Amino acid sequence: MSKRLAISTMCAAAALLAGCHRGAPDGQVAATVNGEEVTLQELNTEIQASNVPQGMDKKVAQQQALQHIIDRKLLIGAARDKKIDKSPEFQAQKQRADEMLLAQTYAKQQLNAVPVPTDGDIQKFMSEHSNAFANREVLQLDQLRFRPRPGDAEKLSIIKNDHSLDAVAAHLTGLGIKFDRVKAGFDTAQVPTEVIKQINNLPAGEPFMLPGNGMLTVNVLVGHQPVPTDQVQARQGAVGAWRQQQFTKLIGDQLKAMKDSAKITYQNGFAPAAEKKPAAPSATAGGVAGAK
């Protein structure tokens, strides 16, 4: 055996024993964890998902993100040692996470494909949603706020015939439902245009109901406070809202077409209930209960 061949053989054996150590990471590899590479692409993805504060030093952000990745990989290694990744519960969660990520990535691509609106598109959109632009205001409310209990829904139907907040308060007291009476308000820009139209069409002093965050509120409109609108910011907001509206319609149309052409079968009892047409709203305490 020549001296050169002997040296090569010794180096190969040493490399196997040492796990093929190649020195410090470089190029597209930021670090290794027990031999597993952390690439720059992986690091950049971590930074993008970390909501890094504006103005933060880039190097500091990279170092912090890299430590998060290293910590996660160490925990992953411990989980794999315990065979957690083989459990049915983990496999089901992993499948859902993979599917959610793929669906979200597809949706993001579709949103990016929505064109920039024309001036005519924006003017029409701002006119149709004037409650968020030219006619934006804070509606001032006299409000009863309460958290309904299980079984209260049928009992609360009685307040649909009440035409004043005092009458609603009396019925709630009679039902043993505790409530707070407060002065409140909400920005018309945060409420669907159709809901604002329903509220504005109610007779003066007529109560209306709004749900939210596990609470129910019964309200009476008592005043209007105009909100000054910056035209530049309003236009930027309108562009984003228009594109979101177009995206929602696009995805809805695509899903309908996909469902119409797909072969979907259900086990007995799992099929969706038949859709019902929504009833026309009435000018009562429940008149705009569908608002969000």
Side-chain angles (χ1 to χ4, degrees):
M1 181 184 293
S2 69
K3 184 177 181 181
R4 179 177 295 177
L5 179 59
I7 292 174
S8 298
T9 304
M10 291 171 61
C11 288
L16 288 172
L17 292 173
C20 300
H21 178 67
R22 294 179 293 178
D26 59 8
Q28 294 299 308
V29 180
T32 61
V33 183
N34 292 330
E36 182 180 357
E37 295 180 345
V38 179
T39 65
L40 295 182
Q41 182 177 356
E42 187 175 357
L43 180 58
N44 290 333
T45 300
E46 184 76 16
I47 292 173
Q48 291 172 5
S50 298
N51 295 322
V52 176
Q54 189 174 5
M56 184 177 187
D57 183 83
K58 181 179 179 181
K59 197 65 178 178
V60 173
Q62 287 180 331
Q63 291 171 343
Q64 290 184 358
L66 182 55
Q67 290 307 307
H68 291 159
I69 296 173
I70 290 172
D71 290 347
R72 184 167 65 243
K73 288 188 179 296
L74 291 172
L75 290 173
I76 289 171
R80 285 174 175 160
D81 289 343
K82 293 181 177 294
K83 308 297 183 183
I84 293 175
D85 57 322
K86 305 299 182 183
S87 68
E89 294 82 4
F90 174 80
Q91 291 295 325
Q93 291 182 30
K94 183 177 183 299
Q95 179 181 349
R96 181 180 185 277
D98 288 346
E99 291 177 351
M100 287 290 292
L101 178 59
L102 191 55
Q104 289 169 0
T105 302
Y106 174 81
K108 184 178 180 180
Q109 289 181 351
Q110 297 303 298
L111 176 59
N112 291 337
V114 174
V116 175
T118 65
D119 288 341
D121 291 330
I122 291 303
Q123 290 175 6
K124 181 181 178 183
F125 183 85
M126 294 178 73
S127 175
E128 292 174 345
H129 301 83
S130 61
N131 57 290
F133 300 103
N135 297 329
R136 182 180 178 183
E137 58 186 0
V138 172
L139 299 185
Q140 298 169 331
L141 308 173
D142 190 5
Q143 182 180 89
L144 302 179
R145 182 181 301 167
F146 61 96
R147 189 178 299 276
R149 304 163 302 188
D152 277 346
E154 185 175 349
K155 297 177 183 177
L156 287 171
S157 63
I158 192 173
I159 69 176
K160 291 184 178 181
N161 298 317
D162 292 333
H163 299 287
S164 73
L165 210 58
D166 288 337
V168 175
H171 271 131
L172 292 178
T173 300
L175 292 171
I177 298 176
K178 295 182 179 180
F179 61 88
D180 294 318
R181 187 163 185 167
V182 298
K183 298 296 182 183
F186 67 87
D187 189 335
T188 58
Q190 306 301 318
V191 183
T193 301
E194 289 305 313
V195 173
I196 297 300
K197 289 180 180 178
Q198 291 178 45
I199 292 173
N200 287 331
N201 288 334
L202 291 174
E206 186 73 17
F208 59 92
M209 188 179 295
L210 294 172
N213 298 323
M215 302 288 289
L216 281 178
T217 66
V218 182
N219 312 268
V220 166
L221 179 61
V222 296
H224 302 259
Q225 181 181 346
V227 176
T229 303
D230 180 276
Q231 291 303 311
V232 174
Q233 292 182 353
R235 182 176 175 81
Q236 292 174 346
V239 170
W242 182 91
R243 295 187 74 242
Q244 184 63 44
Q245 182 187 71
Q246 299 303 307
F247 164 73
T248 300
K249 182 179 184 303
L250 174 65
I251 290 295
D253 291 344
Q254 288 184 1
L255 276 174
K256 183 179 184 306
M258 291 174 188
K259 284 185 176 181
D260 289 344
S261 62
K263 183 179 180 181
I264 304 174
T265 58
Y266 295 97
Q267 182 185 143
N268 187 34
F270 283 84
E275 293 185 2
K276 296 181 180 179
K277 293 184 179 180
S282 57
T284 66
V288 289
K292 293 183 181 179

